[in-house]
Amino acid sequence: MDKTKSSLDSFLRIFCIALFAFLVLLVTWQVVTRFVFNAPSSFSEELAKYIFVWLALFGGAFVFGEKGHMAIEFIKDKFSEKTRYATEWFIEIITIAFATLVMIIGGIQLVLMTWSQTSASLGVPVGLLYFAVPLSGLFIVLYCVHHLYQLAKNNPQHR
């Protein structure tokens, strides 16, 4: 289980770095063509939007896996160890339900609805943009399963 998380972490880290680097180059190209050559690039703005959405979704999944998301710890810290344990399980289960229902199932429906539409300047299916939603939802579910595995290993009743 730890090896799977480590592999997913590495993949998402490298993928997000590559997306960010490409986004910087693309926006730089857009600025240069617009202000230096006075002939704006026709594809760069739309592609930058696509890359930004993918970066936000996959970056969010990566941060979730690292437990780097915002949390209100001072409330949870006031609970007993057993209540804190139950609360953490509840949070992970709710997150799995949300990611499954909204991101994976809803995202797949969104991809299927928009796959026949073509983007204006890139000529690729719009569903390609939305494909990041179910994929990042799947990554979040995988991270939740890992978090639940870690919680089960560290169960306060087994100490």
Side-chain angles (χ1 to χ4, degrees), residues 129-150:
L129 167 66
Y130 295 121
F131 187 67
V133 175
L135 199 53
S136 62
L138 176 65
F139 294 152
I140 289 172
V141 168
L142 291 173
Y143 279 128
C144 281
V145 169
H146 179 265
H147 295 160
L148 289 173
Y149 172 76
Q150 292 298 322

Side-chain angles (χ1 to χ4, degrees), residues 44 115 126 143 159:
S44 59
W115 199 262
V126 174
Y143 279 128
R159 292 182 191 168

Side-chain angles (χ1 to χ4, degrees), residues 79-91:
F79 295 153
S80 69
E81 193 171 3
K82 287 172 87 174
T83 305
R84 190 176 317 130
Y85 178 77
T87 303
E88 289 177 3
W89 266 86
F90 178 73
I91 290 168

Side-chain angles (χ1 to χ4, degrees), residues 91-149:
I91 290 168
E92 296 298 332
I93 297 298
I94 293 296
T95 304
I96 288 173
F98 175 82
T100 301
L101 294 172
V102 175
M103 296 183 77
I104 297 174
I105 295 171
I108 288 171
Q109 291 174 347
L110 183 62
V111 168
L112 294 175
M113 282 189 331
T114 58
W115 199 262
S116 61
Q117 299 172 11
T118 305
S119 73
S121 63
L122 294 175
V124 298
V126 174
L128 192 60
L129 167 66
Y130 295 121
F131 187 67
V133 175
L135 199 53
S136 62
L138 176 65
F139 294 152
I140 289 172
V141 168
L142 291 173
Y143 279 128
C144 281
V145 169
H146 179 265
H147 295 160
L148 289 173
Y149 172 76

Side-chain angles (χ1 to χ4, degrees), residues 9-159:
D9 286 347
S10 294
F11 168 75
L12 285 175
R13 183 180 302 113
I14 291 167
F15 189 64
C16 287
I17 290 169
L19 282 176
F20 186 72
F22 187 62
L23 182 61
V24 168
L25 291 174
L26 189 62
V27 171
T28 303
W29 170 254
Q30 185 177 3
V31 169
V32 167
T33 58
R34 181 176 307 248
F35 293 110
V36 174
F37 300 127
N38 205 21
S41 171
S42 61
F43 74 93
S44 59
E45 184 176 348
E46 189 172 357
L47 185 57
K49 287 178 195 176
Y50 273 50
I51 291 171
F52 185 74
V53 169
W54 277 61
L55 181 61
L57 287 167
F58 291 123
F62 177 71
V63 169
F64 183 83
E66 296 292 312
K67 290 196 168 231
H69 55 284
M70 198 166 61
I72 304 173
E73 296 289 329
F74 72 92
I75 294 173
K76 192 172 69 171
D77 291 343
K78 293 181 186 228
F79 295 153
S80 69
E81 193 171 3
K82 287 172 87 174
T83 305
R84 190 176 317 130
Y85 178 77
T87 303
E88 289 177 3
W89 266 86
F90 178 73
I91 290 168
E92 296 298 332
I93 297 298
I94 293 296
T95 304
I96 288 173
F98 175 82
T100 301
L101 294 172
V102 175
M103 296 183 77
I104 297 174
I105 295 171
I108 288 171
Q109 291 174 347
L110 183 62
V111 168
L112 294 175
M113 282 189 331
T114 58
W115 199 262
S116 61
Q117 299 172 11
T118 305
S119 73
S121 63
L122 294 175
V124 298
V126 174
L128 192 60
L129 167 66
Y130 295 121
F131 187 67
V133 175
L135 199 53
S136 62
L138 176 65
F139 294 152
I140 289 172
V141 168
L142 291 173
Y143 279 128
C144 281
V145 169
H146 179 265
H147 295 160
L148 289 173
Y149 172 76
Q150 292 298 322
L151 280 169
K153 265 182 24 177
N154 300 325
N155 185 345
Q157 294 176 346
H158 291 124
R159 292 182 191 168

